[in-house]
mmCIF file of all heavy atoms in Angstrom:
data_model
loop_
_atom_site.group_PDB
_atom_site.id
_atom_site.type_symbol
_atom_site.label_atom_id
_atom_site.label_comp_id
_atom_site.label_asym_id
_atom_site.label_seq_id
_atom_site.Cartn_x
_atom_site.Cartn_y
_atom_site.Cartn_z
ATOM 1 N N TRP A 66 -28.356 -14.952 -14.763
ATOM 2 C CA TRP A 66 -27.018 -15.397 -14.399
ATOM 3 C C TRP A 66 -26.259 -14.311 -13.628
ATOM 4 O O TRP A 66 -25.491 -14.636 -12.695
ATOM 5 C CB TRP A 66 -26.248 -15.874 -15.621
ATOM 6 C CG TRP A 66 -26.778 -17.215 -16.014
ATOM 7 C CD1 TRP A 66 -27.607 -17.546 -17.016
ATOM 8 C CD2 TRP A 66 -26.496 -18.433 -15.317
ATOM 9 N NE1 TRP A 66 -27.890 -18.877 -17.022
ATOM 10 C CE2 TRP A 66 -27.202 -19.450 -15.975
ATOM 11 C CE3 TRP A 66 -25.749 -18.769 -14.196
ATOM 12 C CZ2 TRP A 66 -27.155 -20.799 -15.553
ATOM 13 C CZ3 TRP A 66 -25.715 -20.090 -13.779
ATOM 14 C CH2 TRP A 66 -26.404 -21.081 -14.459
ATOM 15 N N VAL A 70 -27.957 -15.447 -9.921
ATOM 16 C CA VAL A 70 -26.925 -16.405 -9.524
ATOM 17 C C VAL A 70 -25.678 -15.657 -8.988
ATOM 18 O O VAL A 70 -25.275 -15.888 -7.847
ATOM 19 C CB VAL A 70 -26.553 -17.342 -10.703
ATOM 20 C CG1 VAL A 70 -25.366 -18.243 -10.325
ATOM 21 C CG2 VAL A 70 -27.749 -18.192 -11.108
ATOM 22 N N PHE A 71 -25.087 -14.785 -9.759
ATOM 23 C CA PHE A 71 -23.840 -14.142 -9.316
ATOM 24 C C PHE A 71 -24.019 -13.227 -8.109
ATOM 25 O O PHE A 71 -23.328 -13.352 -7.108
ATOM 26 C CB PHE A 71 -23.189 -13.374 -10.468
ATOM 27 C CG PHE A 71 -21.817 -12.870 -10.111
ATOM 28 C CD1 PHE A 71 -20.769 -13.739 -9.880
ATOM 29 C CD2 PHE A 71 -21.609 -11.501 -9.950
ATOM 30 C CE1 PHE A 71 -19.502 -13.272 -9.494
ATOM 31 C CE2 PHE A 71 -20.342 -11.030 -9.593
ATOM 32 C CZ PHE A 71 -19.300 -11.898 -9.351
ATOM 33 N N LEU A 120 -12.478 -12.523 -11.977
ATOM 34 C CA LEU A 120 -13.048 -13.672 -12.653
ATOM 35 C C LEU A 120 -13.203 -14.871 -11.688
ATOM 36 O O LEU A 120 -14.040 -15.707 -11.914
ATOM 37 C CB LEU A 120 -12.211 -14.108 -13.848
ATOM 38 C CG LEU A 120 -12.165 -13.112 -15.018
ATOM 39 C CD1 LEU A 120 -11.205 -13.617 -16.095
ATOM 40 C CD2 LEU A 120 -13.553 -12.867 -15.564
ATOM 41 N N ASP A 121 -12.425 -14.883 -10.633
ATOM 42 C CA ASP A 121 -12.499 -15.996 -9.671
ATOM 43 C C ASP A 121 -13.579 -15.738 -8.578
ATOM 44 O O ASP A 121 -13.834 -16.583 -7.765
ATOM 45 C CB ASP A 121 -11.194 -16.187 -8.957
ATOM 46 C CG ASP A 121 -10.112 -16.733 -9.873
ATOM 47 O OD1 ASP A 121 -10.443 -17.565 -10.731
ATOM 48 O OD2 ASP A 121 -8.946 -16.335 -9.756
ATOM 49 N N ALA A 122 -14.263 -14.549 -8.626
ATOM 50 C CA ALA A 122 -15.280 -14.268 -7.637
ATOM 51 C C ALA A 122 -16.392 -15.298 -7.728
ATOM 52 O O ALA A 122 -16.870 -15.625 -8.806
ATOM 53 C CB ALA A 122 -15.817 -12.862 -7.868
ATOM 54 N N ARG A 123 -16.784 -15.806 -6.545
ATOM 55 C CA ARG A 123 -17.795 -16.847 -6.517
ATOM 56 C C ARG A 123 -19.202 -16.210 -6.482
ATOM 57 O O ARG A 123 -19.391 -15.109 -5.945
ATOM 58 C CB ARG A 123 -17.658 -17.700 -5.253
ATOM 59 C CG ARG A 123 -16.333 -18.425 -5.147
ATOM 60 C CD ARG A 123 -16.038 -19.390 -6.262
ATOM 61 N NE ARG A 123 -16.944 -20.542 -6.238
ATOM 62 C CZ ARG A 123 -16.747 -21.582 -7.033
ATOM 63 N NH1 ARG A 123 -15.758 -21.643 -7.879
ATOM 64 N NH2 ARG A 123 -17.597 -22.614 -6.967
ATOM 65 N N SER A 124 -20.124 -16.929 -7.024
ATOM 66 C CA SER A 124 -21.541 -16.459 -7.034
ATOM 67 C C SER A 124 -22.112 -16.467 -5.621
ATOM 68 O O SER A 124 -21.743 -17.332 -4.785
ATOM 69 C CB SER A 124 -22.368 -17.322 -7.972
ATOM 70 O OG SER A 124 -22.393 -18.666 -7.523
ATOM 71 N N GLN A 125 -23.022 -15.574 -5.362
ATOM 72 C CA GLN A 125 -23.728 -15.557 -4.073
ATOM 73 C C GLN A 125 -24.921 -16.511 -4.119
ATOM 74 O O GLN A 125 -25.343 -17.009 -3.102
ATOM 75 C CB GLN A 125 -24.249 -14.131 -3.807
ATOM 76 C CG GLN A 125 -23.103 -13.084 -3.681
ATOM 77 C CD GLN A 125 -22.143 -13.472 -2.590
ATOM 78 O OE1 GLN A 125 -22.540 -13.649 -1.415
ATOM 79 N NE2 GLN A 125 -20.879 -13.589 -2.926
ATOM 80 N N GLY A 126 -25.436 -16.764 -5.331
ATOM 81 C CA GLY A 126 -26.529 -17.709 -5.509
ATOM 82 C C GLY A 126 -25.931 -19.018 -6.055
ATOM 83 O O GLY A 126 -24.721 -19.131 -6.267
ATOM 84 N N THR A 127 -26.809 -20.007 -6.226
ATOM 85 C CA THR A 127 -26.312 -21.295 -6.680
ATOM 86 C C THR A 127 -26.980 -21.684 -8.013
ATOM 87 O O THR A 127 -28.026 -21.159 -8.351
ATOM 88 C CB THR A 127 -26.626 -22.402 -5.634
ATOM 89 O OG1 THR A 127 -28.056 -22.484 -5.468
ATOM 90 C CG2 THR A 127 -25.935 -22.127 -4.331
ATOM 91 N N VAL A 128 -26.367 -22.633 -8.675
ATOM 92 C CA VAL A 128 -26.983 -23.236 -9.845
ATOM 93 C C VAL A 128 -27.875 -24.356 -9.402
ATOM 94 O O VAL A 128 -27.929 -24.656 -8.194
ATOM 95 C CB VAL A 128 -25.871 -23.735 -10.849
ATOM 96 C CG1 VAL A 128 -25.037 -22.592 -11.375
ATOM 97 C CG2 VAL A 128 -24.963 -24.781 -10.191
ATOM 98 N N SER A 130 -27.760 -27.468 -9.259
ATOM 99 C CA SER A 130 -27.136 -28.543 -8.445
ATOM 100 C C SER A 130 -26.838 -28.094 -7.010
ATOM 101 O O SER A 130 -26.380 -28.900 -6.218
ATOM 102 C CB SER A 130 -25.876 -29.022 -9.130
ATOM 103 O OG SER A 130 -24.894 -27.980 -9.140
ATOM 104 N N GLY A 131 -26.988 -26.804 -6.722
ATOM 105 C CA GLY A 131 -26.666 -26.278 -5.421
ATOM 106 C C GLY A 131 -25.282 -25.753 -5.292
ATOM 107 O O GLY A 131 -24.906 -25.238 -4.208
ATOM 108 N N LEU A 132 -24.486 -25.828 -6.355
ATOM 109 C CA LEU A 132 -23.111 -25.319 -6.282
ATOM 110 C C LEU A 132 -23.078 -23.849 -6.626
ATOM 111 O O LEU A 132 -23.894 -23.323 -7.347
ATOM 112 C CB LEU A 132 -22.263 -26.096 -7.337
ATOM 113 C CG LEU A 132 -22.116 -27.580 -7.132
ATOM 114 C CD1 LEU A 132 -21.365 -28.194 -8.305
ATOM 115 C CD2 LEU A 132 -21.382 -27.884 -5.822
ATOM 116 N N THR A 133 -22.019 -23.214 -6.102
ATOM 117 C CA THR A 133 -21.746 -21.861 -6.548
ATOM 118 C C THR A 133 -20.760 -21.946 -7.719
ATOM 119 O O THR A 133 -20.071 -22.953 -7.867
ATOM 120 C CB THR A 133 -21.096 -20.972 -5.406
ATOM 121 O OG1 THR A 133 -19.859 -21.581 -5.035
ATOM 122 C CG2 THR A 133 -22.034 -20.847 -4.248
ATOM 123 N N VAL A 134 -20.745 -20.917 -8.565
ATOM 124 C CA VAL A 134 -19.874 -20.914 -9.731
ATOM 125 C C VAL A 134 -19.079 -19.582 -9.666
ATOM 126 O O VAL A 134 -19.441 -18.691 -8.948
ATOM 127 C CB VAL A 134 -20.628 -21.039 -11.041
ATOM 128 C CG1 VAL A 134 -21.311 -22.397 -11.158
ATOM 129 C CG2 VAL A 134 -21.669 -19.927 -11.176
ATOM 130 N N ASP A 135 -18.014 -19.514 -10.451
ATOM 131 C CA ASP A 135 -17.288 -18.235 -10.513
ATOM 132 C C ASP A 135 -17.752 -17.431 -11.671
ATOM 133 O O ASP A 135 -18.453 -17.897 -12.583
ATOM 134 C CB ASP A 135 -15.774 -18.455 -10.448
ATOM 135 C CG ASP A 135 -15.200 -19.235 -11.596
ATOM 136 O OD1 ASP A 135 -15.846 -19.361 -12.673
ATOM 137 O OD2 ASP A 135 -14.072 -19.826 -11.456
ATOM 138 N N LEU A 136 -17.323 -16.163 -11.700
ATOM 139 C CA LEU A 136 -17.715 -15.280 -12.758
ATOM 140 C C LEU A 136 -17.215 -15.744 -14.105
ATOM 141 O O LEU A 136 -17.912 -15.609 -15.135
ATOM 142 C CB LEU A 136 -17.210 -13.852 -12.474
ATOM 143 C CG LEU A 136 -17.578 -12.734 -13.465
ATOM 144 C CD1 LEU A 136 -19.072 -12.645 -13.667
ATOM 145 C CD2 LEU A 136 -16.940 -11.446 -13.053
ATOM 146 N N ARG A 137 -16.019 -16.324 -14.125
ATOM 147 C CA ARG A 137 -15.463 -16.892 -15.352
ATOM 148 C C ARG A 137 -16.455 -17.924 -15.969
ATOM 149 O O ARG A 137 -16.731 -17.890 -17.173
ATOM 150 C CB ARG A 137 -14.144 -17.556 -15.042
ATOM 151 C CG ARG A 137 -13.521 -18.317 -16.160
ATOM 152 C CD ARG A 137 -12.218 -19.020 -15.762
ATOM 153 N NE ARG A 137 -11.173 -18.044 -15.360
ATOM 154 C CZ ARG A 137 -10.847 -17.765 -14.100
ATOM 155 N NH1 ARG A 137 -11.493 -18.365 -13.107
ATOM 156 N NH2 ARG A 137 -9.918 -16.881 -13.879
ATOM 157 N N TRP A 138 -16.955 -18.820 -15.159
ATOM 158 C CA TRP A 138 -17.877 -19.842 -15.641
ATOM 159 C C TRP A 138 -19.159 -19.175 -16.189
ATOM 160 O O TRP A 138 -19.675 -19.609 -17.261
ATOM 161 C CB TRP A 138 -18.261 -20.820 -14.520
ATOM 162 C CG TRP A 138 -19.079 -21.953 -14.986
ATOM 163 C CD1 TRP A 138 -18.600 -23.189 -15.395
ATOM 164 C CD2 TRP A 138 -20.502 -21.962 -15.126
ATOM 165 N NE1 TRP A 138 -19.686 -23.968 -15.802
ATOM 166 C CE2 TRP A 138 -20.859 -23.257 -15.640
ATOM 167 C CE3 TRP A 138 -21.531 -21.092 -14.906
ATOM 168 C CZ2 TRP A 138 -22.165 -23.636 -15.915
ATOM 169 C CZ3 TRP A 138 -22.813 -21.459 -15.159
ATOM 170 C CH2 TRP A 138 -23.161 -22.726 -15.657
ATOM 171 N N ILE A 139 -19.664 -18.174 -15.506
ATOM 172 C CA ILE A 139 -20.856 -17.473 -15.992
ATOM 173 C C ILE A 139 -20.613 -16.843 -17.354
ATOM 174 O O ILE A 139 -21.439 -16.960 -18.246
ATOM 175 C CB ILE A 139 -21.336 -16.428 -14.977
ATOM 176 C CG1 ILE A 139 -21.892 -17.154 -13.731
ATOM 177 C CG2 ILE A 139 -22.396 -15.492 -15.545
ATOM 178 C CD1 ILE A 139 -22.205 -16.244 -12.553
ATOM 179 N N HIS A 142 -20.572 -19.565 -19.941
ATOM 180 C CA HIS A 142 -21.931 -20.059 -20.125
ATOM 181 C C HIS A 142 -22.749 -19.084 -20.994
ATOM 182 O O HIS A 142 -23.453 -19.517 -21.900
ATOM 183 C CB HIS A 142 -22.669 -20.288 -18.793
ATOM 184 C CG HIS A 142 -24.050 -20.720 -18.976
ATOM 185 N ND1 HIS A 142 -24.359 -21.983 -19.383
ATOM 186 C CD2 HIS A 142 -25.224 -20.067 -18.828
ATOM 187 C CE1 HIS A 142 -25.693 -22.100 -19.481
ATOM 188 N NE2 HIS A 142 -26.221 -20.931 -19.163
#
Side-chain angles (χ1 to χ4, degrees):
W66 285 103
V70 175
F71 186 68
L120 294 177
D121 291 322
R123 301 299 291 189
S124 62
Q125 299 301 305
T127 61
V128 296
S130 66
L132 298 174
T133 61
V134 294
D135 61 22
L136 181 57
R137 173 184 295 102
W138 186 93
I139 290 171
H142 178 73

